Amino acid sequence: MKAIEKLYAAIAQQFPDERITTKQAADAVGLTRGVTSSYLSKLEKQGKLLKTGSRPVYWQIKREKSAFDELIGFHGSLKNDINHAIEAIVYPDHGLPILIIGAHGTGKLSLARSVYREAIHRGIFTKESVFETIDCGKYKNKFNTLQRQIQETAGQVQKTGFLYIKNLQVLHSEKQHELFMFANQQEKTNIRFIFSATTELSDNNCTDFNCAVVQIKLSSLNERPLNERIAFVGLFLQRQADKIGKNILISPHSLIKFAKITNVVSISDLNNRIQLMCAAAYAKTPNVNQLIINKANENSICITPNQHLLETKITSLVTSALQLGPTVNNLLRDLLESLLAGETITEQNFLVLKVLNQVDTTVSESLLKELAQTVRQVSKEAITHQYGIVFQNDDNFWRYVALAFTFANLCSDNLPVADSTHKFQAQIKKRYPRSHYLFKQLLIKMAPKNIQSAYYYLPFFVLMVQCSEKLESVHYNAILLTHGEHTASSIQQVVNTLCGNYFFEAFDMPIDVSISRINEYVRNYLIDQGSSTKENIILFDMGSLREMFREIKKVSDQELLVVNNVTTAMALDIGLRIQRNEIFQSIAEASQKYSSTTDAQYYEGLSNRKNIIVSCMSGVGLSEELKKLIEETLSPSLEVIALDYKHLHALLKNNDRQFFSNTQLILTTTDVSGDMGMDIINIYNIFDKSVSLKLETILLQIGENQKSSNLLIERLLRFLSIEGIRGRLQILNPDVVIQESQDIVSHYENFYNVKFEPRLKLNLYMHLSLMIERMLVSTTVSENTFQEADLTPRKKDFISLSSGIFQHVEQKFNIKVQDYEIELLYQLLKDFIFTDE
């Protein structure tokens, strides 16, 4: 796609109904201002953009005009009504009947004529098509006559167009239903039907399966938005200017005053009032070339004859009357300065309320009350229900929230997108990330198309002022991730509601969701939370703990706690700890104790503490004893981790040095290969002076003192001696078992014609003695672990030899030496008995 096409696509997607500056267009696609200006001019010449203004120049997507564009409110209060009307016009094959309900003077006839013109515009009818009116009021007690006239008109083959049947409310309910039925049965004629009534009809008449009717309800003038009422005043003043051929001057104050007259409920009444006002002013100065309404001033608006009051003219009139541009620009500037200065939300709330009181954008108390109820309900659904934030139950508070949304809508309808939009919203998000996030959830439900509009974030300072401090006091980003439709959100609702604050966000995920998709959920949420330094807590239901930790850690470098097998009780406990403002380490450690089926990880690698690994080939039991010995000797700040030999081998094979970043030393009972730059010491080698000195140096380097280092070496030497073996055995007679172990070692030496060093013999005596006792108390029988493909001739010989050597021991102690034990012994001896292997 070419750059100019990308620019047009970006404007169409981000600003479909808004006027924007060249700078805003450039920012949308990341081009320079000069290049963007050139592209915009080309798009205007191609007829794709509309250019208005001079300093600054505004650009807008140029769309095809419709017959409804001349109606005041076509993209405001009538927007949904017009959409319904279009649906009725285009529905195949014959459209649908339309019922327009509204009090006298609400514009029913104007809307009906626009429907007729739009059908012509779309090529459904030609310009020769008719628009005929029948007044039911003339046939109140003559329904048969009315019915006959309607049937005759609809049945004329040569006629095409619309039959407008008004004042339907005077007919009995059954008669109304008959007319609707008749209208729905005229698929073979060229006449379509528009009905109108001043009061609502029985729902049964319009919802019958056989007589579908598109209903449109028009509001009275007092219930229309203020900008639309201002537009009506301007329209009627324009008509008078055209009629008398003079300019009409009117101050913004006077224009707004007329727009807010409460005892004028119909559009025609407003027209009459303005005509009488102009007549009175004309009578006073018939020979002056301009008509002055009340008193003129430097801000007076001039309406000249023979100018069509199209959308751009109406917009200009509204913004001039309300001084909307300067007012909202000053407000956005003051709010941005307040945010940058670090002032509280109370100060920003004051700035917004001050403007709301000055401009007084109230449409009408009844309409404002209705909007307040809507905002109240949506806030409950979008914020209170899931996030536990309860707003005050004060009617005046909700009135001001509704007033702020009305003002936002007024600005959005009549002003271009503010240049400060991005910076303004970025500062709100930076100062109040959690409050901003919740407010956005409200906008998604209330005004999804306006989420990027700066004007729609003005109500933020009214709605969130009472709860923002509580929301921003939370120092964690906590997320619930579970499979299923409502599991996570149900837990979220319970915890947030009981805690009375927004602690958890929840994501209900499909059963087959991938780890990358989960990662996307988390990434998008954390981005929404802004660039805060909050720690992250993730609770999920199933899956690999380590993989989840690793993937989510890629999203944020902040502290991370991941806990699996989430339950409501677990989430509530963490929520209460967050509420008490416990430190991350405390919450992380508590999460490791929830249940035997729950695992938690809150650090990268094997451990987040400085540690020593102990791993004995003779089993984790011996490792645990060594661990206890070391813990009793060295400082408690050093963690000692006991690992099974196979587990250690797998960790070394499958991880890098980063995984062992906090590991200071590995102590084993057999040589372990590793090139990660870690010190790995075979514990039996400390009988060599050089190795014991090396161990002493390592201990001193990691912070242990000389006394504890020497004491540990002494205890290890004693632990590994024959006496140490005696102390390890719990059941069998040490003298008997050690003698059997010595005999076994002698058999291996004799068969392979080798002489084992003393420290290897000690290792073997320890290993074999503990193995015999372990076999004696064990009830587990393992399957054959030897794979034929992996058996070399030498290993086969070793297994065969070992079977014979252990036969005496097996008979004496009534045990069976398992393949796993033979495998361990082979790994321990192979480098000493096969010097070339």
Side-chain angles (χ1 to χ4, degrees):
M1 186 184 291
K2 295 181 179 178
I4 189 171
E5 294 170 349
K6 288 183 179 178
L7 175 62
Y8 180 77
I11 297 173
Q13 182 178 9
Q14 297 180 37
F15 312 102
D17 301 312
E18 302 166 21
R19 291 189 299 158
I20 61 171
T21 63
T22 302
K23 181 180 182 303
Q24 289 168 323
D27 291 343
V29 288
L31 296 172
T32 65
R33 199 165 181 168
V35 171
T36 304
S37 178
S38 173
Y39 286 160
L40 291 170
S41 296
K42 289 180 181 179
L43 288 170
E44 184 209 6
K45 290 178 181 177
Q46 293 172 9
K48 294 183 177 180
L49 293 182
L50 182 66
K51 178 181 178 183
T52 56
S54 55
R55 294 183 181 180
V57 172
Y58 293 113
W59 308 90
Q60 187 173 16
I61 294 292
K62 190 174 183 180
R63 61 179 182 81
E64 186 180 357
K65 294 290 183 180
S66 78
F68 297 109
D69 287 4
E70 295 296 323
L71 292 176
I72 292 174
F74 78 94
H75 62 71
S77 66
L78 296 182
K79 185 175 182 179
N80 290 335
D81 296 328
I82 289 171
N83 287 337
H84 292 324
I86 292 173
E87 291 164 7
I89 293 170
V90 301
Y91 193 78
D93 290 320
H94 194 68
L96 292 172
I98 298 173
L99 170 62
I100 306 173
I101 299 171
H104 289 295
T106 50
K108 298 186 292 297
L109 179 59
S110 296
L111 179 58
R113 289 191 178 278
S114 295
V115 169
Y116 160 70
R117 288 194 295 270
E118 182 65 14
I120 295 174
H121 175 71
R122 290 174 179 266
I124 295 172
F125 292 135
T126 65
K127 291 182 179 180
E128 288 72 33
S129 297
V130 301
F131 181 89
E132 295 188 4
T133 301
I134 296 178
D135 186 355
C136 294
K138 296 180 179 179
Y139 301 92
K140 186 173 183 180
N141 298 315
K142 303 175 181 178
F143 180 72
N144 290 337
T145 307
L146 171 64
Q147 192 176 37
R148 187 166 51 253
Q149 183 174 347
I150 291 173
Q151 290 173 350
E152 288 177 356
T153 304
Q156 296 178 22
V157 178
Q158 73 279 12
K159 279 193 176 181
T160 63
F162 280 89
L163 190 56
Y164 177 57
I165 303 173
K166 67 178 187 176
N167 289 320
L168 199 63
Q169 75 282 350
V170 304
L171 301 179
H172 190 274
S173 175
E174 294 179 358
K175 305 303 181 185
Q176 296 168 2
H177 188 265
E178 283 187 38
L179 293 184
F180 290 147
M181 288 286 289
F182 177 77
N184 272 273
Q185 294 168 357
Q186 303 307 302
E187 295 185 359
K188 295 182 179 180
T189 70
N190 293 318
I191 292 292
R192 297 189 180 189
F193 290 82
I194 302 176
F195 301 94
S196 76
T198 58
T199 58
E200 292 196 32
L201 308 181
S202 169
D203 286 341
N204 293 333
N205 289 340
C206 309
T207 57
D208 187 293
F209 180 76
N210 295 315
C211 61
V213 179
V214 173
Q215 293 189 65
I216 295 173
K217 297 178 182 179
L218 299 181
S219 302
S220 66
L221 180 63
N222 284 343
E223 293 175 335
R224 298 282 285 268
L226 181 60
N227 60 315
E228 293 180 14
R229 285 183 281 151
I230 291 174
F232 276 118
V233 174
L235 174 66
F236 299 144
L237 285 172
Q238 182 70 60
R239 288 179 181 175
Q240 298 307 312
D242 295 345
K243 184 176 181 179
I244 62 177
K246 292 184 178 184
N247 293 345
I248 297 179
L249 285 180
I250 185 169
S251 69
H253 174 77
S254 296
L255 195 150
I256 294 172
K257 184 178 178 181
F258 268 100
K260 293 175 65 177
I261 295 176
T262 56
N263 60 349
V264 174
V265 295
S266 73
I267 297 170
S268 55
D269 285 347
L270 179 63
N271 184 26
N272 292 338
R273 287 282 189 101
I274 290 174
Q275 188 170 354
L276 292 173
M277 176 192 67
C278 290
Y282 186 85
K284 293 178 183 177
T285 55
N287 298 321
V288 178
N289 61 1
Q290 61 183 8
L291 203 63
I292 299 175
I293 305 298
N294 295 331
K295 294 180 180 179
N297 56 43
E298 66 276 7
N299 294 323
S300 289
I301 299 164
C302 181
I303 297 175
T304 37
N306 302 318
Q307 283 192 341
H308 295 291
L309 211 75
L310 299 176
E311 181 191 356
T312 53
K313 180 65 177 177
I314 292 174
T315 297
S316 175
L317 185 67
V318 172
T319 54
S320 298
L322 295 176
Q323 291 291 289
L324 215 69
T327 299
V328 77
N329 287 338
N330 290 339
L331 175 58
L332 291 175
R333 181 201 63 208
D334 293 344
L335 286 171
L336 188 56
E337 289 177 356
S338 177
L339 288 166
L340 291 170
E343 293 180 346
T344 66
I345 193 171
T346 304
E347 295 296 326
Q348 290 125 31
N349 171 262
F350 172 77
L351 292 171
V352 176
L353 292 183
K354 183 179 177 182
V355 169
L356 293 180
N357 287 327
Q358 288 174 347
V359 178
D360 189 17
T361 56
T362 176
V363 287
S364 73
E365 283 305 317
S366 61
L367 193 62
L368 202 60
K369 186 176 180 180
E370 183 180 339
L371 179 58
Q373 290 174 345
T374 300
V375 179
R376 201 171 193 166
Q377 182 61 35
V378 176
S379 298
K380 185 176 181 180
E381 294 171 359
I383 299 178
T384 303
H385 185 68
Q386 289 301 127
Y387 300 100
I389 297 299
V390 179
F391 297 98
Q392 56 184 289
N393 192 29
D394 179 71
D395 290 341
N396 196 50
F397 167 77
W398 290 106
R399 181 185 182 279
Y400 269 105
V401 174
L403 196 60
F405 272 105
T406 303
F407 182 60
N409 186 65
L410 187 67
C411 294
S412 180
D413 280 350
N414 297 285
L415 292 174
V417 178
D419 283 331
S420 58
T421 290
H422 179 72
K423 192 173 183 181
F424 176 65
Q425 290 187 61
Q427 281 303 312
I428 297 176
K429 186 174 182 178
K430 183 178 180 180
R431 281 293 310 283
Y432 313 111
R434 296 177 71 78
S435 306
H436 174 273
Y437 179 78
L438 291 198
F439 186 77
K440 196 167 82 167
Q441 307 313 303
L442 174 69
L443 281 186
I444 288 171
K445 286 185 173 292
M446 276 200 63
K449 292 183 179 179
N450 298 298
I451 288 178
Q452 302 302 324
S453 170
Y455 305 128
Y456 276 87
Y457 281 83
L458 296 176
F460 170 88
F461 300 103
V462 183
L463 180 67
M464 307 303 289
V465 66
Q466 299 295 329
C467 58
S468 181
E469 184 177 354
K470 180 167 73 170
L471 285 166
E472 303 310 326
S473 68
V474 179
H475 301 302
Y476 297 94
N477 293 317
I479 307 174
L480 292 160
L481 296 162
T482 68
H483 299 77
E485 292 185 6
H486 306 294
T487 308
S489 53
S490 295
I491 297 174
Q492 174 201 28
Q493 181 187 353
V494 170
V495 176
N496 287 343
T497 301
L498 290 177
C499 293
N501 201 353
Y502 157 41
F503 292 143
F504 281 99
E505 179 55 289
F507 297 102
D508 298 306
M509 304 176 298
I511 295 297
D512 58 348
V513 68
S514 64
I515 189 69
S516 61
R517 182 69 178 122
I518 293 173
N519 198 28
E520 188 178 337
Y521 280 119
V522 176
R523 181 193 302 111
N524 292 339
Y525 175 72
L526 294 181
I527 290 172
D528 253 345
Q529 297 307 296
S531 56
S532 66
T533 56
K534 295 181 175 67
E535 292 92 349
N536 302 315
I537 299 174
I538 313 292
L539 308 184
F540 70 111
D541 54 354
M542 57 185 176
S544 169
L545 187 76
R546 194 170 301 282
E547 184 180 11
M548 178 75 78
F549 185 93
R550 184 173 59 249
E551 289 302 314
I552 293 177
K553 197 64 179 173
K554 296 175 183 178
V555 177
S556 170
D557 60 359
Q558 302 303 327
E559 292 271 22
L560 171 64
L561 166 64
V562 177
V563 188
N564 65 5
N565 294 328
V566 60
T567 64
T568 302
M570 178 201 303
L572 181 59
D573 181 71
I574 289 179
L576 292 171
R577 292 176 185 276
I578 293 173
Q579 189 177 51
R580 294 194 296 266
N581 204 23
E582 290 189 17
I583 62 172
F584 179 81
Q585 186 74 18
S586 172
I587 297 175
E589 290 174 356
S591 69
Q592 295 182 309
K593 304 172 184 177
Y594 286 127
S595 75
S596 59
T597 61
T598 298
D599 290 318
Q601 183 174 346
Y602 59 96
Y603 49 82
E604 289 184 275
L606 182 65
S607 172
N608 67 331
R609 292 173 57 194
K610 196 159 55 173
N611 65 82
I612 290 177
I613 297 175
V614 179
S615 179
C616 298
M617 185 173 280
S618 297
V620 73
L622 185 59
S623 300
E624 289 291 345
E625 288 193 52
L626 277 171
K627 172 183 176 180
K628 183 178 179 181
L629 186 152
I630 297 171
E631 287 177 335
E632 290 173 347
T633 310
L634 300 182
S635 62
S637 63
L638 186 67
E639 182 182 13
V640 183
I641 302 172
L643 295 176
D644 175 79
Y645 172 77
K646 279 192 172 182
H647 187 194
L648 174 63
H649 182 74
L651 289 177
L652 289 169
K653 180 181 178 181
N654 298 322
N655 294 281
D656 56 15
R657 182 67 180 94
Q658 180 63 32
F659 181 82
F660 296 97
S661 60
N662 290 315
T663 300
Q664 312 297 310
L665 171 67
I666 298 177
L667 289 175
T668 70
T669 57
T670 186
D671 293 334
V672 176
S673 61
D675 56 356
M676 296 184 184
M678 283 186 295
D679 289 303
I680 302 176
I681 294 180
N682 184 325
I683 200 169
Y684 284 98
N685 289 340
I686 65 170
F687 286 97
D688 290 342
K689 187 66 176 177
S690 60
V691 177
S692 64
L693 286 174
K694 180 181 178 181
L695 176 58
E696 179 184 335
T697 302
I698 293 170
L699 293 173
L700 292 173
Q701 287 176 343
I702 62 179
E704 297 298 320
N705 59 44
Q706 188 74 53
K707 182 180 178 180
S708 63
S709 299
N710 291 339
L711 181 59
L712 176 63
I713 293 172
E714 289 178 15
R715 288 183 172 180
L716 288 174
L717 289 170
R718 189 162 58 248
F719 181 89
L720 298 171
S721 66
I722 292 291
E723 289 306 313
I725 299 173
R726 292 178 184 275
R728 306 279 79 74
L729 295 171
Q730 302 294 320
I731 300 175
L732 298 175
N733 184 321
D735 292 332
V736 174
V737 177
I738 291 173
Q739 183 60 55
E740 291 291 346
S741 299
Q742 290 173 333
D743 291 344
I744 292 170
V745 171
S746 295
H747 282 309
Y748 280 115
E749 284 183 314
N750 293 333
F751 184 84
Y752 288 107
N753 195 26
V754 295
K755 191 70 177 175
F756 296 143
E757 321 180 317
R759 60 175 174 270
L760 176 58
K761 284 187 177 183
L762 273 172
N763 191 354
L764 289 169
Y765 297 158
M766 176 80 77
H767 179 87
L768 291 167
S769 298
L770 293 176
M771 180 197 78
I772 292 170
E773 187 168 88
R774 189 168 59 249
M775 292 293 97
L776 188 65
V777 299
S778 174
T779 58
T780 304
V781 178
S782 65
E783 297 179 0
N784 191 308
T785 58
F786 297 125
Q787 301 296 323
E788 191 66 30
D790 298 331
L791 295 177
T792 63
R794 285 180 174 179
K795 192 170 184 179
K796 285 183 179 180
D797 291 341
F798 181 85
I799 294 169
S800 177
L801 173 67
S802 298
S803 297
I805 290 174
F806 282 111
Q807 189 174 11
H808 173 72
V809 171
E810 288 177 334
Q811 291 174 349
K812 183 173 184 176
F813 293 101
N814 192 26
I815 62 174
K816 173 62 180 174
V817 179
Q818 299 178 20
D819 291 350
Y820 172 72
E821 301 294 345
I822 304 258
E823 173 71 25
L824 288 178
L825 199 59
Y826 178 78
Q827 295 297 331
L828 191 61
L829 290 175
K830 67 177 183 177
D831 291 336
F832 299 98
I833 59 178
F834 305 124
T835 56
D836 58 342
E837 185 172 287

